């Protein structure tokens, strides 16, 4: 089959690799219908996170079960399913608590020795604990299929940030980051009942999506100017709940600066760089809470799926460029140069 492989920074190739096969009774082999490029993939692309030459890449996908191991009980050949970005056994104490990303037997697609999502097929370990079945009819609905793909990562990650930030009905929320996760954070805050949502971003195409998703205000400034602008909008006080969806020192400083005393920050931006942007003295004095981390999206899919199927929420606009598998290297370039927000792959 063909799959996306990273050889070095800025060296992404689509090449022939061995077909996936059942290795354990709990495996399935999945034919990929939709995949995408994640903003976090760009850290490997830019050389800011290590990858071995020849390693697979990509962790967001959905598709059709082509083969199921003898120990798989919940899925059959022909089922349409979505995969969260981490596989998990579904039976350990962490999975029972909903923290599937800490499953001792779990793993991340594209890690050494595993298939990546940006290919024609994937071997899925622990299928019963990992995959979620989708309605078969969705396979012929292009828009719905694209919206459902967001369940594999960005929609659940935005939701995790909103939950971590303590978003409640009537809350005022600020969202730092205008990437796909930040935009899904806006959607999640709206879904959870936020009354006012301030999106921080300076790219009009992205902030227009933020407004569609529920943002009531947009702040284009950065750094200290952004803090001042948000506080001016809020009568000198910060937001009850702040979503941090970037992961840099500057974005975290901004998040702390725009949080109301007694408020909370939900952070899901993958940390990169040497600094954290956190001053525990400031957070202590102002009673600011910090919650978040890698999102256990498998635990959120059952909650979010009905709203996607009903059309109550539609995250599909975050995918603004659709390509075939052969064009994946160009898709990485487009996202790296910020000419695309999030690239959809149709193998």
């Amino acid at each position: 089959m063909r799959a996306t492989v990273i050889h070095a920074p800025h060296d992404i190739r689509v090449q022939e690799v061995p077909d996936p096969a059942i290795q354990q009774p709990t495996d399935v082999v999945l034919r990929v219908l939709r995949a995408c490029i994640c903003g976090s993939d760009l850290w490997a692309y830019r050389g800011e996170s290590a990858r071995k030459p020849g390693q697979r890449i990509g962790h967001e996908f959905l598709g059709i079960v082509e083969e199921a191991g003898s120990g798989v009980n919940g899925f059959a050949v022909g089922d349409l399913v979505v995969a969260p970005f981490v596989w998990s056994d579904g039976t350990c104490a962490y999975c029972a608590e909903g923290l599937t990303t800490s499953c001792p037997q779990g793993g991340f697609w594209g890690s050494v020795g595993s298939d990546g999502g940006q290919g024609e097929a994937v071997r899925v370990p622990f299928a019963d604990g990992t995959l979620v079945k989708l309605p078969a009819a969705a396979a012929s609905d292009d828009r719905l299929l694209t919206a459902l793909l967001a369940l594999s990562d960005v929609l659940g990650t935005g939701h995790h940030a909103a939950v971590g930030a303590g978003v409640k009905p009537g809350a005022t929320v600020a969202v730092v980051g205008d990437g796909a996760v930040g935009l899904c954070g806006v959607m999640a805050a709206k879904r959870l009942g936020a009354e006012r949502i301030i999106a921080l971003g300076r790219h009009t195409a992205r902030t227009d999506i933020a407004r569609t998703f529920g943002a009531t205000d947009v702040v284009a400034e950065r750094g200290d100017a952004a803090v001042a602008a948000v506080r001016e909008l809020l009568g000198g006080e910060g937001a009850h709940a702040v979503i941090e969806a970037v992961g840099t020192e500057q974005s975290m400083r901004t998040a702390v600066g725009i949080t109301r005393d007694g408020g909370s920050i939900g952070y899901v931006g993958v940390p990169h760089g040497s600094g954290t942007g956190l001053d525990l003295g400031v957070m202590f004095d102002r009673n600011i809470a910090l919650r978040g981390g890698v999102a256990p999206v498998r635990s959120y899919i059952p909650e979010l799926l009905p709203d996607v199927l009903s059309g109550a929420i539609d995250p599909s606009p975050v995918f603004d460029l659709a390509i075939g598998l052969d064009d994946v290297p160009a898709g990485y370039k487009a996202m790296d140069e910020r000419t695309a927000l999030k690239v959809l792959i149709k193998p």
Side-chain angles (χ1 to χ4, degrees), residues 319-344:
F319 299 97
D320 61 343
L321 176 62
I323 60 173
L325 191 58
D326 288 336
D327 293 323
V328 167
Y332 271 83
K333 187 172 186 292
M335 283 185 61
D336 185 44
E337 295 176 349
R338 299 182 73 86
T339 59
L341 167 61
K342 190 167 181 67
V343 174
L344 176 72

Side-chain angles (χ1 to χ4, degrees), residues 10 36 55 108 111 143 145 155 195 272 274 303 305 316:
H10 301 282
C36 55
Q55 193 172 335
F108 189 84
S111 55
R143 184 212 57 80
L145 205 61
L155 182 59
E195 183 175 316
H272 48 279
S274 59
E303 175 184 351
L305 176 59
S316 64

Side-chain angles (χ1 to χ4, degrees), residues 297-315:
V297 298
R298 175 60 182 83
S299 298
Y300 294 134
I301 292 175
E303 175 184 351
L304 298 171
L305 176 59
D307 282 357
V308 176
L309 291 173
S310 71
I313 56 175
D314 177 14

Side-chain angles (χ1 to χ4, degrees), residues 93-105:
Y94 284 113
C95 287
E97 294 168 7
L99 195 61
T100 50
T101 50
S102 290
C103 176
Q105 297 195 88

Side-chain angles (χ1 to χ4, degrees), residues 256 262 279-289:
V256 173
D279 185 328
L280 292 182
V282 170
M283 296 179 70
F284 182 88
D285 290 343
R286 297 176 51 213
N287 280 280
I288 293 174

Side-chain angles (χ1 to χ4, degrees), residues 17 22 30 59 144 177-178 221-222 240 270-271 306 330:
V17 300
I22 300 294
L30 188 71
H59 55 265
L144 179 57
D178 61 0
E221 291 84 357
R222 289 185 177 178
H240 298 102
V270 178

